[in-house]
Amino acid sequence: MKRFSRLLCMFVSTTAIMGATSYSAQAEEFLVKDQKSFEEIVKELEPGDVVKLANGKWEDFEVLFTGAGEKDKPIRLTAETSGEVFLTGQSNLRIAGNYLEVSGLVFKDGYTPTSEVISFRQNSKNLANNSRVTEVVIDNYNQPERQEVDFWVMMYGKNNRFDHNHIVGKRNKGVTMAVRLNTEDSQENNHLIDHNYFGPRQILGSNGGETLRIGTSHYSRTDSLTVVENNYFDRCDGELEIISNKSGRNVFRNNTFFQSRGTLTMRHGNNNLVENNVFFGNGADHTGGIRVINAGQTIQNNYMEGLKGTRFGGAFVVMNGVPNGPINRYDPVKDAVIKNNSLINSDNVQFGAGSDEERTAVPSDSVFESNLIFNEDGRDVFTVYDDMSGIDFTKNVLGSMDPPDFTTGFSRARLKMERAENGLMYPQSEISAGVSRDLSVTQKNQTGVSWYPKAEPVIAFGSGETIAVTPEEGSLTSAVETAKAGDIISLSPGDYVVRKFLKIDKPLTFQAEGEVNLTFERTTLFEILNGGGLQIQGLNFSGKSAPDNAGNSVIRTSPYSMLENYRLEIMDTNFTEMNVNHSFNIISVSKGTFADNIAIRNSSFKDVTGAILKLDKETDDYGTYNAEYLTILNSDFESVQGSIVDYYRGGTDESTFGPHFNLKNSSLTNVGSGKRNKTDSSLYLQGVQVTNISNNTFDGVEPFLIKHTVGEPKTKIFKNTFKDTPAPVVVELNSGLEPTALITDNEGLNR
């Protein structure tokens, strides 16, 4: 009767608590409609009780769900209808106690006011144990500033489960999900992370973009006993490590990695098991498989296909370690068992990776056995950096290439491959190497929730409707304001004078239907905002009507940090008369903005007092940069006072793959000699990881200045014609070694 009286008083006073199924000592169900009612009812909950949040938006709701359920009678917090309760604004969830369960909620349109969206603890002394979060969605719930760190899910305590959740669109810095071992109460935790959909995570452009981390460096020699199984990692591209294992005795089983850049990395911790995982790279750049570090790792029955990653992000990588190193460095590989894995049409298998003056400890007492490696093109996939006598190579089969020189543990077999019902490639003939034929592949539709869509992360240019505009004043501006994502703005022939900024907050295409000439009267024409993307086809731009200001530009990004990466494509377009004042750039970016891709094709640039592309705003030397891919093809540059490109990535962090730069089939004439060009170069690249400059003509331009800073940068300058142009200058900024750039087969270059 005592419980009945308390609940009855609450019901009468608030009316927000709707009728329970009964008012007895039996389990009861409550529907609450406001935060205060929830806070009151939580204090009264007993084993088996269910609290439902009413459908709708719950704004700025910091949910603290505590209680003491029982093994067969958990206390549950759920939605009135799964998927129709939205936690928005500055909301989050903390659970603490025993045998609690949360389900059916959606975090969207906001960000956590603390460091965690979902936390399995109230504070450092009150943790969750034997508790579960299931069928919860976190969708683009990001801090406003991309370099502000937070974590979407943080597991503490013991014997907790995180399953069938939908986690997508983390854009700011910080691991998406992590397991913490910072106190004894969270060690040897026996957590289960299963059947979750980890949806696309964009390239962060710096360290701190892991999707899942188990442990930290400080507790990396402590066991976690966490099981990660049957999850789907869909285009998780944040950084080099998709999963960063930093603790011991964990299991990674039956997970699917679909077109995700990076690797499942045994960064720290010993005696982990990695088995029955499937990696589909689909030939995408930097897709990787498994990286092995530390002692006692077992890597068996994993399937890796179409992986194109290199170096630390390769299809299969065994690292060198640091002898007797500190806890945050690379422990040597020892007692590893690597067997019955299949690597199909994947580019790089590396042994002793990272070998340098510090990482001198080679693998020891390890086995590499009964693995199958097959590439249709027969390419040699092996790179060996050090002595591999500490690995016993045996019974491995190569389906299309000659055995490597460093061991006798590989035999070549003439194999014909076919795809089985489970979607994997197997030899038609029976062999003992490679993955088992009964390997079950976790599918996307087996993970996450059924009631929330797994939407594509990028809206393609030109996928929407076509909006016709004329040179009439205001027509173009009005079209931009009313257009929807993916629309094409089609400009009829004529002369356009634009008197306002064209603010691009969605992917739009500007396409000429005939001779279209544009001038503009503000300091810039296009301003790409958060969510924006810009494609330009066939237009003619003149800067003659721009204000007489230093530092004008044709295209710029928002002056503020942008959470969403953007794309910029310029095709068949001409830029002239960008010279009303000095430092008139074509494209300028701001700190905290990041382009997935910038491409210029079949375009011309003439009489420019600034640079073509200023991608140099991340000067803190933390490993950040402004664009992942920059491609210039079949384009002409004449009388440009600044550099064609100022591209900057500072620091020595090894967690990213870019930047990438490609200049091909283009001509540069009289470029880089302006007195305000601080780099004194026609092309300035610092920290670019992949550079290809080929089949171009350079006539009377300042030298290239290329500074290698970290990793193993690949710079190739070949088949170009140089006229009255100095040789490229390449500097190894940190290693002190001889320049590694390949400069060959160029005409007119005196070296």
Side-chain angles (χ1 to χ4, degrees), residues 440-636:
S440 178
V441 181
T442 297
Q443 305 296 322
K444 184 191 293 189
N445 62 8
Q446 296 173 324
T447 62
V449 300
S450 60
W451 41 262
Y452 200 86
K454 296 178 174 70
E456 285 299 302
V458 176
I459 297 174
F461 286 125
S463 59
E465 298 180 353
T466 298
I467 303 172
V469 298
T470 66
E472 180 183 358
E473 183 173 351
S475 177
L476 182 57
T477 303
S478 177
V480 171
E481 292 173 350
T482 59
K484 296 180 175 59
D487 283 354
I488 300 170
I489 296 177
S490 177
L491 287 76
S492 61
D495 297 329
Y496 292 72
V497 179
V498 183
R499 296 185 169 89
K500 297 180 179 180
F501 296 138
L502 298 181
K503 294 183 178 292
I504 310 300
D505 60 359
K506 59 190 78 72
L508 293 178
T509 296
F510 291 77
Q511 179 177 289
E513 300 296 336
E515 186 75 14
V516 173
N517 304 305
L518 285 96
T519 58
F520 53 100
E521 297 182 351
R522 301 297 302 273
T523 54
T524 195
L525 176 56
F526 296 103
E527 184 173 82
I528 301 175
L529 304 178
N530 209 35
L534 178 61
Q535 185 183 64
I536 299 171
Q537 298 182 16
L539 308 182
N540 301 313
F541 294 101
S542 168
K544 65 182 180 181
S545 298
D548 187 8
N549 292 338
N552 290 335
S553 60
V554 182
I555 303 166
R556 74 183 184 199
T557 62
S558 167
Y560 310 107
S561 175
M562 290 165 52
L563 270 175
E564 298 187 47
N565 296 356
Y566 67 94
R567 294 163 291 145
L568 173 60
E569 298 180 4
I570 299 172
M571 296 169 285
D572 303 304
T573 294
N574 303 310
F575 297 82
T576 60
E577 300 178 290
M578 307 296 171
N579 55 9
V580 297
N581 205 317
H582 71 80
S583 306
F584 199 140
N585 303 313
I586 303 300
I587 300 166
S588 296
V589 304
S590 299
K591 183 177 175 61
T593 65
F594 190 86
D596 280 332
N597 177 56
I598 298 176
I600 298 173
R601 299 182 179 91
N602 305 312
S603 296
S604 68
F605 304 79
K606 185 176 181 180
D607 297 328
V608 180
T609 61
I612 304 303
L613 293 117
K614 292 286 285 184
L615 306 174
D616 60 348
K617 297 302 186 290
E618 301 293 350
T619 57
D620 294 332
D621 291 346
Y622 295 152
T624 55
Y625 48 104
N626 287 120
E628 186 71 11
Y629 292 92
L630 171 58
T631 301
I632 302 174
L633 303 176
N634 304 308
S635 295
D636 301 319

Side-chain angles (χ1 to χ4, degrees), residues 300-318:
Q300 62 187 19
N301 207 50
N302 299 284
Y303 181 89
M304 291 153 271
E305 182 181 352
L307 304 177
K308 299 302 176 182
T310 62
R311 199 170 174 263
F312 291 2
F316 199 89
V317 182
V318 179

